Amino acid sequence: MKIRSFVPVIFITIGVLLLFAGQSMAAEEGAKPVVKQPAPAIRVVAAQKRELVERLHVNGTVLAREEAVVSTDLNGLTVMTLNADRGDTIKKGATLATLDRTPLEMQAAQLEASKIQAEASVAQAQSQIADAEIAVRQAEETLQRIEVLKEKGHATAAQLDNAVNARDSARARLNSAHMAQKSAKAQVGVVLAQKRDVEIKLAKTVIKAPAGGLVLARNVTLGGVVSAQSGALFRIAIANELELAADVAETALPALAEGMRADVTVAGNNASVGGTIRLIAPEIDRRSRLGTIRISLPAAGNARVGNFASAGIEISRREGVSVPASAIIYRGNEAFVQHVENGLVSTTPVSLGARADGFVEVTQGIGIGDEVVHRAGTFVADGDRVSPVRDQMTGAITK
């Protein structure tokens, strides 16, 4: 019974001690000074005026501006000589190859004989016409005499009929002689046309360059047999003029114009060459939504047909207030910067212009010298207090 009476007293004593201990600890903590947390250090940059050169980067393939295709419509002739190969620079009219003339020369000789024979037929027909004309005159004179004698009663009706028939027969022979002459002359014309065709083919056995330039391909071999189905024997880049053909998104095409400068870098070459836009295709591909442009390349460049190349086209060049692209944040279609003034962050709407080399032109919203958070939207929000860290404080180098 005595042990049970001491238990509540013990618990009450422990509780009182804990209460005094808590009050003592609270008093000690209240006596300590409150430590103020420093504002976070944030890198800031000042808006500066700089020259912005906006470029559009495109990729494509080097092609010849214009190609000349050399082919033949002759069949079954052997290649006798070859005077040009790939990589050769040739002049207009230069002989590229020659074909065997023997079969055509034989045809020409046969046609010459046929022409002589046809001309002889013309002469023979002329002689027949002369004989037929004489026979017609004689028949008409005989008919006239018979008609006179018939009127005087010295000739019979049968004699008159015979004279009329003889005259008609002579006239028929004369007409036949004229027709034979026309046929012979027509034959002469056919032979002359055939001979002219062979002469043209003989001229085509000497294959000449229709234009000067660089020989891109040679698809014929010495001793080979050509035909009209052989395709192109030679391909020539006219005047050795090369271009970069590149596809551009339809949204970027309105910013381009013929004559714009482009810096072209060909695969395998570190140095770029200057070119200009020669042509902007008037049609957009319906499937890819791309349009093709042609950039003229200098003749002294190292580009080859088929090379992959990239180009930077200068769209605009102007001076303006700019900040790094990382300082811009977007909310839908609107752009903002985190303006820092007196250590306080305020989100400020801005209007943007040109973009170049990692910088963005700000046309409205901030001015030269205004400081903004270098990497916006990452660590701070509107209304935060920060400790600005500038490039000169960190030793960073900016362009």
Side-chain angles (χ1 to χ4, degrees):
M1 296 296 292
K2 292 181 180 180
I3 294 174
R4 291 181 181 177
S5 64
F6 280 110
V7 172
V9 175
I10 292 172
F11 281 109
I12 292 171
T13 304
I14 293 172
V16 172
L17 291 174
L18 291 174
L19 176 62
F20 277 109
Q23 289 178 351
S24 176
M25 292 177 63
E28 290 179 1
E29 290 181 358
K32 290 182 180 179
V34 177
V35 180
K36 187 178 180 180
Q37 293 293 332
I42 293 295
R43 183 183 176 190
V44 298
V45 293
Q48 297 179 355
K49 189 174 183 179
R50 67 175 63 242
E51 184 182 50
L52 295 170
V53 181
E54 194 171 10
R55 289 183 174 88
L56 174 67
H57 294 278
V58 298
N59 299 319
T61 304
V62 176
L63 303 174
R65 176 175 177 176
E66 291 186 33
E67 283 191 13
V69 176
V70 183
S71 56
T72 182
D73 58 356
L74 302 178
N75 290 305
L77 298 184
T78 304
V79 179
M80 302 299 293
T81 63
L82 286 174
N83 302 322
D85 202 351
R86 291 180 297 176
D88 293 345
T89 300
I90 58 173
K91 295 181 179 180
K92 181 179 180 179
T95 299
L96 304 178
T98 59
L99 306 179
D100 185 13
R101 298 167 55 93
T102 304
L104 294 175
E105 288 175 343
M106 292 179 61
Q107 290 184 26
Q110 292 173 353
L111 290 172
E112 180 64 23
S114 297
K115 187 191 76 167
I116 294 173
Q117 185 177 6
E119 289 174 344
S121 297
V122 171
Q124 184 179 6
Q126 185 64 39
S127 177
Q128 291 175 351
I129 289 173
D131 291 342
E133 288 175 344
I134 293 172
V136 168
R137 285 198 302 271
Q138 290 176 344
E140 289 177 344
E141 291 172 354
T142 301
L143 177 60
Q144 290 175 358
R145 289 195 296 270
I146 295 297
E147 288 176 341
V148 173
L149 292 175
K150 180 68 171 58
E151 291 177 353
K152 294 180 178 181
H154 299 295
T156 63
Q159 291 176 325
L160 180 61
D161 292 339
N162 291 335
V164 171
N165 292 335
R167 183 201 62 185
D168 293 342
S169 177
R171 287 180 176 177
R173 288 194 298 274
L174 176 60
N175 185 57
S176 177
H178 279 295
M179 296 300 295
Q181 183 188 42
K182 289 181 180 180
S183 177
K185 287 182 177 180
Q187 185 62 31
V188 172
V190 170
V191 173
L192 289 175
Q194 292 174 341
K195 187 176 180 182
R196 176 59 181 162
D197 180 64
V198 172
E199 289 173 350
I200 292 174
K201 290 181 178 179
L202 283 169
K204 289 181 178 179
T205 58
V206 180
I207 300 175
K208 296 185 177 182
L214 178 68
V215 178
L216 300 177
R218 190 200 76 184
N219 301 316
V220 61
T221 57
L222 191 65
V225 178
V226 300
S227 69
Q229 290 75 36
S230 299
L233 304 181
F234 296 87
R235 287 175 44 239
I236 301 170
I238 298 177
N240 199 12
E241 293 182 346
L242 303 182
E243 294 182 335
L244 171 61
D247 291 331
V248 179
E250 61 179 347
T251 54
L253 281 177
L256 302 180
E258 295 179 4
M260 278 186 171
R261 176 180 171 79
D263 294 323
V264 181
T265 303
V266 180
N269 295 283
N270 295 326
S272 62
V273 296
T276 55
I277 297 179
R278 181 186 69 85
L279 175 67
I280 300 175
E283 186 177 10
I284 302 295
D285 186 273
R286 296 181 181 180
R287 295 183 178 178
S288 66
R289 312 312 304 175
L290 300 174
T292 302
I293 64 173
R294 290 290 188 105
I295 301 174
S296 298
L297 301 179
N302 295 322
R304 298 174 181 271
V305 173
N307 268 142
F308 172 83
S310 59
I313 304 170
E314 185 176 312
I315 297 175
S316 66
R317 180 187 291 267
R318 64 175 180 267
E319 288 189 350
V321 179
S322 64
V323 296
S326 60
I328 307 295
I329 55 176
Y330 297 92
R331 295 173 183 171
N333 295 326
E334 297 180 347
F336 300 85
V337 295
Q338 290 182 317
H339 184 203
V340 179
E341 187 174 6
N342 298 324
L344 192 64
V345 176
S346 63
T347 303
T348 304
V350 291
S351 298
L352 306 181
R355 298 171 181 266
D357 301 326
F359 289 88
V360 181
E361 180 187 16
V362 179
T363 58
Q364 290 182 357
I366 59 173
I368 297 176
D370 289 345
E371 292 183 330
V372 299
V373 176
H374 183 271
R375 191 173 296 278
T378 304
F379 303 108
V380 296
D382 190 29
D384 289 351
R385 185 167 293 278
V386 297
S387 296
V389 179
R390 299 172 179 82
D391 290 335
Q392 57 268 31
M393 298 170 64
T394 63
I397 301 175
T398 58
K399 296 183 180 180

